[in-house]
Amino acid sequence: GGRRTMEFTMKSFIALLIFTPAVQLAGCNSYVLKGKVVKGEKSSIELVHEMDPRIRAFEPGGLANVEVRVYRDPDNMNKKLSGRERTPVDGTFSLNLGDFGAGWMTEEWLLQAYSYGFQTAQQQMKLPAKNAKTRLLITLAPGESIEPSDQADYVEDYEKYK
């Protein structure tokens, strides 16, 4: 009995030593993409410094109820919706992207912003580095909105890859 208990305890301790750093590393992978949606003359998505006055949380001009989406592998037939969030009253957002490589791999991501009564903004770009002092500034112009589809456009993909 006592030897078997000690073996079990020792195995549990070793498993804990191996498992804990793995969990901590997985937590380090999370990437947060921050920014703000504002009203403007032309719909666009751009990267700006975090001190840019247009993106400060309590500055006027933020748009509420805008859906911000981020897709991984947008040129692939199996593009993946990696994050989605609706903006609160001040127009700010913080999208937590748990995808491996977000913010350090040099790959293109598709960013979209959509709200009724505004032109949809869409931009394919590399994400800023994980600890960069960079934020997304999304500008939406009044006009006709086109809701981006979650579904893959198989006809478009077929034409692109045939």
Side-chain angles (χ1 to χ4, degrees), residues 31-35 46-53 55 103 127-137:
Y31 174 86
V32 179
L33 183 62
K34 295 180 180 181
E46 61 185 305
L47 293 171
V48 298
H49 191 273
E50 69 181 359
M51 296 306 289
D52 188 305
I55 64 160
L127 297 179
K130 187 171 184 174
N131 295 319
K133 296 183 181 296
T134 308
R135 303 289 182 261
L136 274 181
L137 174 63

Side-chain angles (χ1 to χ4, degrees), residues 51-102:
M51 296 306 289
D52 188 305
R54 297 171 293 176
I55 64 160
R56 291 201 182 124
F58 298 105
E59 293 292 319
L63 287 177
N65 204 32
V66 175
E67 184 165 300
V68 179
R69 299 178 185 180
V70 178
Y71 289 92
R72 183 174 211 160
D73 297 328
D75 291 330
N76 194 334
M77 285 181 69
N78 297 322
K79 73 180 180 183
K80 177 187 176 229
L81 180 62
S82 296
R84 168 192 283 181
E85 185 175 315
R86 284 214 176 263
T87 58
V89 136
D90 66 356
T92 60
F93 61 89
S94 291
L95 277 166
N96 191 354
L97 306 177
D99 291 16
F100 178 78

Side-chain angles (χ1 to χ4, degrees), residues 72-73 100-102 105-109 125-127:
R72 183 174 211 160
D73 297 328
F100 178 78
M105 288 183 66
T106 55
E107 64 180 316
E108 296 280 316
W109 297 69
M125 63 174 50
K126 291 180 177 87
L127 297 179

